[in-house]
């Protein structure tokens, strides 16, 4: 992702790969983003609070923090319990086939396995994952405890309203002055 972003020299943005919890960044950034549903990989409340607190500390006053999580109301993981592969065209050169199988569900925690054929017909690759599907109100609750206040919310990448059947909860929170 960073390699792609750095190919856009017309953007006046400094891209940094890093973990805010492992390095102290105090009021350095105007915008911090957590992508790829990484919010869902924070499985425990303490881990989530620490990550959100680190994001807040890194923001300048008025700085923004953006992230997305799957909307739990769409119950996306229920469709993962199928053996039917999903095929994704990856341009003229290749395509990909993926299957997911849910191993267990314990409250908000979903453990699943994915199998990828990239390109289709090649030796499959396997990945085991665990994600948290917090309730629709939980991101706001955790953000309120960490300090940034939600300024904008969307239900999909096109800017649709949250909670109306969109697959995502996309939040942009703003650090208010101390």
């Amino acid at each position: 992702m960073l390699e792609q972003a750095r190919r856009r020299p017309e953007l006046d943005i400094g891209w940094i790969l890093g973990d805010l919890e492992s390095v102290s960044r105090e009021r350095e950034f105007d915008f911090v983003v957590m992508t790829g549903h990484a919010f869902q990989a924070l499985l425990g409340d303490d881990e989530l609070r620490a990550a959100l607190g680190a994001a807040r500390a890194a923001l300048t006053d008025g700085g923004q923090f953006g992230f997305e999580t799957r909307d739990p109301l769409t119950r996306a993981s229920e469709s993962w319990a199928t053996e039917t592969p999903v095929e994704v065209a990856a341009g003229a050169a290749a395509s990909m086939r993926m299957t997911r199988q849910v191993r267990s569900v314990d409250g908000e925690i979903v453990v699943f396995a994915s199998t990828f054929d990239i390109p289709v017909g090649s030796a499959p690759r396997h990945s085991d994952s665990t994600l948290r599907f917090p309730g629709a109100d939980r991101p706001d609750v955790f953000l309120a405890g960490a300090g940034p206040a939600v300024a904008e919310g969307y239900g999909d990448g096109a800017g649709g309203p949250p909670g109306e059947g969109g697959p995502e909860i996309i939040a942009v929170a703003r650090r208010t002055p101390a």
Side-chain angles (χ1 to χ4, degrees), residues 133-151:
F133 285 79
D137 64 329
R138 301 285 281 164
D140 288 349
V141 169
F142 283 108
L143 282 168
V150 173

Side-chain angles (χ1 to χ4, degrees), residues 4 14 19 23 25 30 43 45 50 64 77 86-87 94 112 114 127 143 145 149 152 161-163:
Q4 290 290 82
D19 175 343
V23 237
R25 303 276 188 174
D30 295 321
L43 303 179
D45 288 358
Q64 296 179 314
S77 65
V86 174
E87 298 224 11
F112 64 99
S114 301
S127 171
L143 282 168
E152 302 170 44

Side-chain angles (χ1 to χ4, degrees), residues 13-64:
I13 298 173
W15 298 97
I16 300 170
L17 174 64
D19 175 343
L20 286 175
E21 292 180 71
S22 63
V23 237
S24 178
R25 303 276 188 174
E26 291 296 321
R27 297 180 187 246
E28 277 190 55
F29 301 107
D30 295 321
F31 190 74
V32 172
V33 64
M34 183 186 294
T35 64
H37 299 111
F39 184 87
Q40 290 184 268
L42 301 169
L43 303 179
D45 288 358
D46 291 342
E47 183 180 15
L48 185 52
R49 282 187 193 98
L52 294 175
R56 181 185 189 283
L59 291 171
T60 58
D61 286 343
Q64 296 179 314

Side-chain angles (χ1 to χ4, degrees), residues 3 30 117:
E3 184 179 312
D30 295 321
D117 294 327

Side-chain angles (χ1 to χ4, degrees), residues 120-132:
V120 172
S122 66
R125 299 176 189 172
H126 302 280
S127 171
D128 294 316
S129 301
T130 303
L131 295 177
R132 182 177 185 177

